[in-house]
Amino acid sequence: MTAATLPHRSPAPSVAFGAEALHAVLAASPAPGWVSDLRRSACERLTGLGLPDRRDENWMRTDLRLFKPAAWGPTRSPGTGAVVDEGLLAEAIVSGELVDTADGSGHRVAGRLAGRFASLDGHVMREELDASLAAQGVVFGSAERVLAERADVLKAHWFSLIDSSTDWFAALHAAFHAASVVLYVPPRVRIADPLHVVAGLTDGGVDTSHVLVVLGEGAEATVLTETAGGGAAGSTGGFHCGGTEIVVGENAFLRMVNLQNWNTGVWHVARQRAVVRANGRLQWTLGALGSRLSQVAQDVALVGRGADAQVNGVMFTEGRQQLVFNTSQHHEAAACRSDLLYKGALQDRSRLVWRGMIKVDKAAQKTDGYQRNDNLMLSKTARADSIPGLEIEADDVRCTHGATSGRVDGQQVFYAQARGLTADEAARLVVAGFFQQVFDRITIAPVREALARAIGRRIRRIS
Amino acid sequence: MERLVIRGLHVAVEGQEILKGVDLEIGRGEVHALMGPNGSGKSTLGYAIMGHPAYEVTSGTIELVAADGTRRDVLAMEPDERARAGIFLAFQRPMAIPGVRLADFLRHSVTNVRNPDRKEGEELMPMREFRAELKAKMAELSMDPDFARRYVNDGFSGGEMKRAEILQLAMLRPGFAILDETDSGLDADAVRLASESIAKIGGAEMGILIITHHEQLLEHNVPLRTHVMLGGRIVESGGPELAAELHKKGYERIRVAYPDAAAAERAMEDAAGLAGRAVPAGAGA
């Protein structure tokens, strides 16, 4: 099913991100005026903003010295002949789930996707939604199109959660988002099968996609987004500057999985923010396997009483990859729960940074907040930093955090070898076991299996 | 019948010699007991046979000698190759592997041991076949089938760890099994159960070396030979009555009868004391 490595590379942009490029974007956009107005004001800010300051806590561990803003601009259409990668998660869902049977043999049950959206270099290549869902008022597809059709429910949310004025990347994204996708699930509509979004890049391509997910009261959905392609380390690579906004309505339940699986030459900057309303539930899993450098902000705000967010992170880094995550769990309302578990394994000379913050407002009594980051070092030259943080203004709360960093234990490897496993198999098993705790929390079995397989393939002999 | 033959084995840990010339020969189908005071080198022998990287063999040989006289050099093998050649060590303190279910671990293990030429990435033993066999073995050993769903030795009690080791022994059916204090930390009933289980698993195809301080484990596994280790050497061998005598009367007679070995024992204790440690990292001595 998977497309072979993308055959062509993008030509250098004819025009860098700026006023001239925006002019061309607006000329081609079918979106309503209010959407274009947001672009214009963001573009005005863009010219005055520089790259984030390394004195900023969130950026001080991100090395942007080799990132050249002027080298990037909107990518031309890849043309109709271009092939988009299916995506690891889509493949996993479609190939199905291994289900236990009474006789212990197990068999595979094929899965299906309720909707699919694919883009390449910021151009929409595919959009599909089950007709039965469309009939129930579900909206899923290209933002340029659906924002016009359903401004009544979407205008209030579009770019309402992420701040586009903080730095050059934020403004760029707000001005030049392309191949963006919107999911709106009306109140009490429950979607059983996952919706899938894949953003692809050719070598040297640019992706600025925005994702907006809005679940009405009592609605349910599963959304899988992933990235694929881009150039390998040492090539032109690619550039992703994206954003995600999530609104989980009262009593709604969203399972969200975002897998960053670019090739290792891609610059990846993403800000992702969710709000969860009263008694809403969010299970949000971030997987990060690729990119040259990643800077991800993942924020959850619990804004209604009884809201619940579980945040899972699965990271595997190798080579000279550098991945930075800034997470925030903001308790604005009382009696909410947030539980973050990030697990990373690091190979070669890679670097992983997690900086987490639990913020509890004065009004958020009876908060139950937890954050934890465990890292497993597979080489002596890898480096991980875990920086948990708490900011608590309420007095009746339970907030805890933890962080560990360890190595594969030679005694574990010997024990497994003594039972006939090779040293490599033993190491892979120990690493798989390390991630099991977070996999156990991901309730979508094919996603869990796909992540485990992808990580298993990357592990080499432990040094 | 194949024999495990150890000759003149000297083993050092972190530069300190622990075994000072061990000779031992075990045939398939034979039960041998290895007794001796703490620190005499019993566990070291087990680790050296299994190939623990911290245990350096400075001289001597360990070989598998087939009935037709074909010899295989165990010391030239990696630990996993030794396991696939039919050698098994039941650990005194097994390692936990959090997140890895005992059943999954065993499926890898059984697949490799039964197909010594398997390359990594090739198919594992079919799930259905494996589960059926595991279920049957657990029933034979009066074990709860849910036990195999737990993570390998993670949060296991001492008794559960030993039971898990016996289960692995039963599934792997090695040619030679070294049971390193499989009775330690168990109460009398648990030791009896372990003793019965081992007797069930063993048989004409399996040579067993039981390392123990006590004789209860030998109740259902009467040793052909009992060996006494002192100061890094096997100083005396006898029948099952020797195990009974040592259990009742301790090692004073042995120390008196073998003053050189007793002196070596004291020297090793002193060295360990000076180095501020009783045993090498992660291992019993």
Side-chain angles (χ1 to χ4, degrees):
Chain A
M1 287 291 278
T2 314
T5 312
L6 296 156
H8 65 289
R9 65 170 299 279
S10 306
S14 47
V15 53
F17 289 114
E20 191 191 339
L22 187 75
H23 194 71
V25 169
L26 292 175
S29 171
W34 60 271
V35 175
S36 298
D37 289 345
L38 288 173
R39 287 189 188 272
R40 278 192 204 94
S41 58
C43 191
E44 278 162 23
R45 283 193 296 276
L46 179 65
T47 39
L49 285 166
L51 290 182
D53 195 320
R54 284 198 85 172
R55 280 169 298 187
D56 179 340
E57 263 294 302
N58 285 338
W59 289 87
M60 65 191 302
R61 293 165 195 86
T62 305
D63 187 353
L64 290 171
R65 281 174 298 182
L66 293 174
F67 181 80
K68 303 290 175 242
W72 303 101
T75 323
R76 264 181 257 152
S77 169
T80 46
V83 189
V84 192
D85 201 289
E86 282 281 317
L88 203 69
L89 301 179
E91 242 182 279
I93 294 288
V94 171
S95 81
E97 181 177 352
L98 198 60
V99 176
D100 274 355
T101 47
D103 67 358
S105 62
H107 67 102
R108 229 160 232 294
V109 177
R112 57 184 302 285
L113 294 165
R116 304 187 74 156
F117 183 90
S119 68
L120 185 60
D121 290 347
H123 297 271
V124 179
M125 305 298 282
R126 171 183 195 172
E127 44 176 331
E128 296 164 17
L129 174 68
D130 274 4
S132 63
L133 294 174
Q136 292 177 72
V138 173
V139 173
F140 178 67
S142 167
E144 296 274 291
R145 177 174 61 79
V146 305
L147 288 174
E149 292 169 12
R150 291 305 305 270
D152 58 323
V153 285
L154 297 173
K155 189 176 176 182
H157 300 297
W158 184 249
F159 277 91
S160 68
L161 300 183
I162 57 177
D163 182 356
S164 60
S165 64
T166 50
D167 57 60
W168 186 83
F169 291 108
L172 165 69
H173 172 65
F176 288 96
H177 57 82
S180 301
V181 61
V182 172
L183 169 68
Y184 169 70
V185 186
R188 289 170 298 284
V189 172
R190 293 175 179 181
I191 306 178
D193 295 316
L195 296 123
H196 182 257
V197 177
V198 59
L201 279 180
T202 59
D203 187 350
V206 172
D207 176 71
T208 49
S209 54
H210 186 77
V211 177
L212 170 65
V213 175
V214 179
L215 262 60
E217 185 196 339
E220 281 186 27
T222 300
V223 178
L224 315 175
T225 78
E226 62 185 303
T227 71
S235 71
T236 326
F239 175 32
H240 168 85
C241 184
T244 300
E245 297 178 291
I246 296 170
V247 179
V248 179
E250 287 186 16
N251 292 304
F253 177 37
L254 175 66
R255 294 191 296 185
M256 182 89 183
V257 177
N258 308 135
L259 172 62
Q260 184 273 100
N261 194 23
W262 300 119
N263 285 329
T264 50
V266 176
W267 302 89
H268 179 88
V269 180
R271 45 201 79 221
Q272 308 179 308
R273 185 168 154 81
V275 297
V276 187
R277 294 185 178 154
N279 296 313
R281 271 200 301 150
L282 171 64
Q283 182 192 86
W284 193 359
T285 300
L286 235 61
L289 302 174
S291 83
R292 162 189 189 152
L293 174 143
S294 277
Q295 165 83 21
V296 175
Q298 188 190 22
D299 302 343
V300 178
L302 301 154
V303 301
R305 189 180 180 85
D308 182 305
Q310 184 198 63
V311 181
N312 306 311
V314 175
M315 284 84 195
F316 188 92
T317 59
E318 59 185 329
R320 289 178 166 269
Q321 283 179 290
Q322 189 189 126
L323 273 59
V324 178
F325 296 87
N326 292 299
T327 67
S328 149
Q329 297 150 261
H330 189 175
H331 287 253
E332 297 180 24
C336 295
R337 194 184 72 104
S338 69
D339 177 1
L340 177 144
L341 176 63
Y342 263 41
K343 283 200 166 232
L346 296 84
Q347 193 161 267
D348 307 327
R349 300 179 65 86
S350 60
R351 184 166 182 204
L352 186 59
V353 178
W354 167 74
R355 184 162 168 268
M357 176 61 72
I358 298 180
K359 193 168 183 297
V360 180
D361 291 353
K362 215 166 203 163
Q365 299 294 356
K366 304 285 180 196
T367 283
D368 183 353
Y370 186 65
Q371 57 177 346
R372 181 180 183 88
N373 175 216
D374 296 325
N375 291 316
L376 185 63
M377 317 302 286
L378 306 182
S379 75
K380 293 186 178 71
T381 47
R383 180 175 159 188
D385 298 282
S386 299
I387 309 146
L390 301 173
E391 254 181 49
I392 299 172
E393 286 175 24
D395 47 26
D396 182 15
V397 303
R398 192 178 69 177
C399 285
T400 43
H401 59 76
T404 65
S405 174
R407 300 181 53 78
V408 172
D409 184 344
Q411 300 291 343
Q412 290 175 314
V413 173
F414 172 66
Y415 180 71
Q417 276 190 289
R419 299 294 141 86
L421 281 72
T422 64
D424 283 1
E425 282 178 303
R428 270 183 245 283
L429 212 60
V430 170
V431 175
F434 168 76
F435 281 111
Q436 192 59 46
Q437 189 191 358
V438 67
F439 287 153
D440 283 344
R441 293 159 51 118
I442 302 171
T443 56
I444 312 160
V447 167
R448 199 164 60 210
E449 289 170 16
L451 288 174
R453 276 197 304 275
I455 288 170
R457 278 197 295 272
R458 283 170 164 79
I459 300 165
R460 295 186 301 276
R461 184 179 280 274
I462 310 292
S463 62
Chain B
M1 268 302 181
E2 190 182 34
R3 304 186 69 74
L4 177 67
V5 181
I6 299 164
R7 293 274 178 256
L9 192 70
H10 288 252
V11 175
V13 180
E14 290 171 17
Q16 195 201 341
E17 187 166 68
I18 309 284
L19 296 188
K20 302 168 189 297
V22 171
D23 295 284
L24 183 66
E25 194 170 329
I26 303 167
R28 292 246 209 159
E30 297 174 6
V31 176
H32 291 240
L34 180 62
M35 303 183 76
N38 283 333
S40 59
K42 303 184 299 296
S43 289
T44 297
L45 178 62
Y47 281 119
I49 295 171
M50 203 68 241
H52 192 298
Y55 292 72
E56 189 198 349
V57 174
T58 50
S59 67
T61 59
I62 304 177
E63 291 178 309
L64 287 167
V65 183
D68 66 2
T70 315
R71 310 175 87 87
R72 284 192 286 172
D73 180 5
V74 173
L75 292 177
M77 300 177 189
E78 291 292 315
D80 53 298
E81 294 171 319
R82 299 182 194 205
R84 281 174 274 161
I87 298 172
F88 179 93
L89 171 66
F91 284 59
Q92 188 182 337
R93 282 187 289 269
M95 296 304 299
I97 310 181
V100 177
R101 291 180 209 290
L102 180 58
D104 294 332
F105 180 71
L106 251 175
R107 188 165 163 232
H108 267 91
S109 179
V110 167
T111 304
N112 281 4
V113 167
R114 292 187 194 167
N115 314 287
D117 300 324
R118 173 182 178 264
K119 301 276 181 294
E120 190 181 352
E122 289 175 16
E123 285 294 304
L124 293 175
M125 179 179 177
M127 182 65 94
R128 184 178 198 149
E129 203 183 307
F130 172 76
R131 285 197 188 166
E133 185 179 332
L134 182 63
K135 200 175 155 194
K137 276 285 179 305
M138 294 185 84
E140 260 177 57
L141 298 171
S142 314
M143 292 175 74
D144 179 351
D146 282 346
F147 189 69
R149 289 178 212 266
R150 291 176 59 188
Y151 297 150
V152 178
N153 296 316
D154 190 23
F156 283 21
S157 68
E160 286 170 334
M161 284 190 189
K162 300 303 167 78
R163 308 258 288 146
E165 293 292 284
I166 290 171
L167 175 64
Q168 293 178 61
L169 173 70
M171 290 294 290
L172 293 169
R173 297 193 297 270
F176 297 95
I178 302 136
L179 311 182
D180 189 1
E181 300 199 14
T182 298
D183 50 0
S184 68
L186 301 187
D187 62 28
D189 287 345
V191 174
R192 188 169 305 115
L193 184 63
S195 178
E196 286 168 9
S197 300
I198 293 161
K200 251 186 236 171
I201 297 163
E205 291 298 315
M206 195 184 293
I208 303 180
L209 179 65
I210 297 177
I211 299 174
T212 180
H213 285 294
H214 313 290
E215 59 171 351
Q216 286 95 328
L217 199 59
L218 307 176
E219 186 185 340
H220 297 276
N221 303 280
V222 179
L224 177 72
R225 302 289 286 164
T226 298
H227 310 278
V228 186
M229 191 173 260
L230 184 70
R233 285 188 298 125
I234 289 174
V235 292
E236 191 171 310
S237 297
E241 71 292 343
L242 180 56
E245 181 217 309
L246 295 172
H247 179 60
K248 276 194 206 84
K249 301 185 180 165
Y251 295 97
E252 274 322 296
R253 176 184 72 74
I254 301 288
R255 287 193 178 98
V256 171
Y258 305 96
D260 291 357
E265 181 187 28
R266 283 192 300 276
M268 279 157 69
E269 278 170 3
D270 290 348
L274 283 176
R277 59 171 171 79
V279 291

